[in-house]
Amino acid sequence: AYHKLAYVHNIPALLGMVGDTGIAHAYVDGEPLHKGMVVPDAFFDELLGVIELLRSRGLAYVDTNKPQNILLGTDGRPHLIDFQISFDASAWWPAWLGRRLLGVFHRADVYHVLKNKRRFRPDQLTDADRGILDRRGFFVRLHRTLTKPYF
């Protein structure tokens, strides 16, 4: 993912590998989204643009449900870190399956970005945003069905 997203401002640059499975990326001056944080007006529109850019490069982030992975940089812009569970459609054969899964994961990314938008900037939710949030996908419904009894 870091190679495919090289030079994207909202993704820290890959510095190199650490051992067989670790990576090191450039430091991002900022802090993870957290309760009580003030988020700039353009933040979520730009974050959705980054999610769309990933999709256009055959990637899905798959972890936008964790606000800790979304940083508010000191520049006021969103930055994504931790691509550990990201999805690369080009790694799948047959290709149609990779494209189909990319669509599913992309919709989940958008849904979770909008959940964060609702949490941090409810004043900016549009009717279209609310419609997406109201139409929970299969995996969201499945997750809630399985985890609700646990919690």
Side-chain angles (χ1 to χ4, degrees), residues 114 122-135:
L114 293 176
D123 59 305
Q124 290 188 334
L125 281 176
T126 65
D127 289 338
D129 294 343
R130 285 184 192 88
I132 291 169
L133 289 169
D134 289 342
R135 284 187 311 271

Side-chain angles (χ1 to χ4, degrees), residues 7 13 15 25 30 34-35 49 55 60 66 68 92 97-98 100 104 106 110-113 116 146 149:
Y7 308 109
L15 300 178
H25 64 71
H34 59 81
K35 188 175 182 177
R55 189 202 55 76
K66 291 171 67 178
Q68 305 89 327
W92 282 76
L97 181 57
R100 177 65 60 112
V104 169
H106 173 72
V110 169
Y111 172 81
H112 286 105
V113 167
N116 283 308
L146 296 175

